[in-house]
Amino acid sequence: MSTCAVVWCNRAAVARGLCVRCYARYRRGLGPNDTRRYTSRETKERVRFEATQRREAGESVADIAVSLGVNESTMGKWLREWEVWPAVGKYGRSFAQNQWKRWTREEALIAITRTDLSIAERAALLRRSYTAVAGFIHDYQQRPADQYGIK
């Protein structure tokens, strides 16, 4: 019968060789005494610098996470905390300039009343994303109060 790397392992799993925790570490390439590569301050700063540079260059979160040996969701969380965004958006287009800007009455009028234009054309005219304009139209039609005086 083999023994597991940790004291609190399940006896049935130890009888098979490894508990769930130790097997997961084994699959990630970590031995029983290995630590994560980003636990010390110096290595965490190196990981942060490298991840920041690569994300700003436009590399995907998944690719960065795999190469640095970090879970993809953890890397995404870290990049959001560090406020690191790619220089270009999806498919090489830059992010919309007015993405986080509040809607003005003039913009709301264009988005709601210009039904002769498609949503994509209204988004280009307002310099906002398609999703932002479509979401604004949908939300505005659902609201009981007329914030911009259009209805």
Side-chain angles (χ1 to χ4, degrees):
M1 179 158 87
S2 60
T3 60
C4 197
V6 292
V7 177
W8 48 265
C9 286
N10 183 343
R11 286 185 186 270
V14 173
R16 288 192 306 261
L18 291 174
C19 70
V20 175
R21 177 181 176 270
C22 294
Y23 182 69
R25 289 175 60 83
Y26 164 75
R27 295 249 335 209
R28 289 193 313 251
L30 296 173
N33 298 323
D34 293 335
T35 59
R36 293 185 177 132
R37 289 177 250 173
Y38 49 84
T39 54
S40 69
R41 177 178 289 241
E42 294 81 22
T43 56
K44 195 164 189 175
E45 288 174 1
R46 182 191 56 79
V47 166
R48 180 177 181 165
F49 176 77
E50 187 174 341
T52 301
Q53 294 296 318
R54 292 170 68 180
R55 184 63 176 152
E56 287 176 348
E59 195 170 338
S60 73
V61 175
D63 292 340
I64 297 169
V66 167
S67 66
L68 294 177
V70 179
N71 190 315
E72 183 179 347
S73 63
T74 303
M75 181 56 65
K77 182 183 78 168
W78 285 353
L79 291 171
R80 283 190 303 276
E81 286 175 3
W82 300 335
E83 297 181 359
V84 177
W85 312 110
V88 293
K90 205 172 188 181
Y91 308 115
R93 294 175 295 192
S94 62
F95 285 123
Q97 296 172 352
N98 297 331
Q99 186 173 6
W100 302 109
K101 193 174 157 191
R102 295 180 73 79
W103 286 81
T104 63
R105 185 177 193 286
E106 292 76 28
E107 291 173 338
L109 276 170
I110 292 171
I112 300 293
T113 61
R114 291 293 306 266
T115 55
D116 58 322
L117 301 174
S118 68
I119 294 178
E121 292 168 336
R122 289 182 251 180
L125 182 66
L126 296 170
R127 285 194 247 156
R128 292 187 183 258
S129 68
Y130 177 93
T131 309
V133 175
F136 178 80
I137 293 169
H138 178 267
D139 292 345
Y140 197 79
Q141 291 171 348
Q142 300 297 320
R143 290 183 199 140
D146 189 11
Q147 182 180 356
Y148 296 102
I150 299 172
K151 293 181 184 176

